[in-house]
Amino acid sequence: MSTTNTPGTQPQPQGVSALDIPLHVTLFRNYAASQKRYQEVSLRALIPLLTDTVGNSKPELPWLKLALFGDDRTEKGSYRHDANVREIQGIGADYDGEQITPARARQVMAQAGLACIIYTSPSHTKQAPRWRILCPTSEPYPPSERARYLARVNGLFVGALASESFALSQSYYYGRLATSQDHEVIAVDGVAVDLVDDLDRTAIGKPVKARVTSQAVTASAAQLGRPT
């Protein structure tokens, strides 16, 4: 099979989107994470789950993580803690700055050539945008690699992603509230985040809490030599 190989990017099969790579995903029934379910599924195949899952309140919604967890529980019975993460196969992050729209996030990720799913948070409105982003890796990695790949995406957004995103076991609600009129799920085809080594030069680690505007993201894209 032929491959593509641009500067700073490892080879990936031509015409294959990382959205179609089978991933190791853990689903939790709720915040307590006393129950977990493992699936091997592509991000694209998760879109109906992100779109059609409905809860009457935020606590009713389930959680997900692009990682495998072991069987060790906390004293409160939760599987979802840092020491129990066995491997990652992607990164998830949260944006709650209420300035950058999901459409703008899609544009930034498309310009970078990275595959992702962007979906709005339960508290999202068009006037105050909030969203999550899921980016696959091409293969499983040890948990120690997660911060590096998350920093690549955070750099594209000029450090705007929530600092809580850097917690190793951080997982996220998925689905929508029954009362929501603004829920969005956006798919962006591209390469896996672990394959674009060039993004290390603009990577930003765990950020200081700050409001970052869409204009700042535009400026960052220009600095990277990508069209806005």
Side-chain angles (χ1 to χ4, degrees):
M1 180 180 294
S2 61
T3 61
T4 59
N5 190 11
T6 57
T9 306
Q10 299 176 30
Q12 177 166 309
Q14 188 175 31
V16 175
S17 172
L19 291 187
D20 298 309
I21 298 172
L23 305 175
H24 299 158
V25 179
T26 300
L27 305 175
F28 298 106
R29 183 174 180 181
N30 52 31
Y31 169 83
S34 59
Q35 300 180 40
K36 62 181 173 70
R37 180 163 57 93
Y38 161 77
Q39 284 192 346
E40 186 169 351
V41 62
S42 71
L43 273 187
R44 198 184 305 278
L46 280 178
I47 291 175
L49 196 68
L50 303 176
T51 303
D52 300 335
T53 300
V54 180
N56 291 318
S57 65
K58 185 175 177 179
E60 291 185 16
L61 293 173
W63 293 56
L64 65 77
K65 177 76 170 178
L66 303 185
L68 281 182
F69 287 77
D71 294 325
D72 298 329
R73 297 175 184 257
T74 65
E75 292 182 356
K76 294 183 178 181
S78 176
Y79 288 111
R80 187 172 55 83
H81 59 96
D82 287 0
N84 201 34
V85 180
R86 297 294 181 257
E87 68 178 39
I88 65 151
Q89 198 163 356
I91 62 97
D94 186 38
Y95 172 74
D96 59 8
E98 300 185 352
Q99 299 293 309
I100 302 171
T101 65
R104 181 67 184 117
R106 171 175 54 190
Q107 184 182 23
V108 169
M109 295 301 288
Q111 289 170 354
L114 289 182
C116 70
I117 297 290
I118 299 161
Y119 67 99
T120 51
S121 310
S123 56
H124 164 83
T125 65
K126 290 182 178 179
Q127 294 73 32
R130 295 183 170 218
W131 40 265
R132 280 79 188 258
I133 187 167
L134 303 174
C135 300
T137 54
S138 62
E139 59 182 305
Y141 283 91
S144 59
E145 292 297 301
R146 181 178 181 273
R148 177 188 179 191
Y149 299 138
L150 178 52
R152 291 179 176 183
V153 178
N154 195 36
L156 293 173
F157 291 97
V158 207
L161 300 180
S163 60
E164 294 83 359
S165 304
F166 282 83
L168 176 58
S169 58
Q170 181 67 42
S171 307
Y172 293 106
Y173 291 106
Y174 66 88
R176 62 179 176 87
L177 298 180
T179 56
S180 174
Q181 301 297 316
D182 299 326
H183 186 61
E184 294 183 70
V185 178
I186 299 170
V188 180
D189 286 300
V191 300
V193 68
D194 57 312
L195 300 183
V196 189
D197 295 338
D198 188 52
L199 291 182
D200 282 337
R201 67 184 179 88
T202 55
I204 298 177
K206 185 176 180 178
V208 176
K209 185 75 171 182
R211 294 176 69 87
V212 178
T213 66
S214 182
Q215 289 78 9
V217 175
T218 301
S220 176
Q223 291 170 7
L224 290 172
R226 299 186 175 92
T228 60

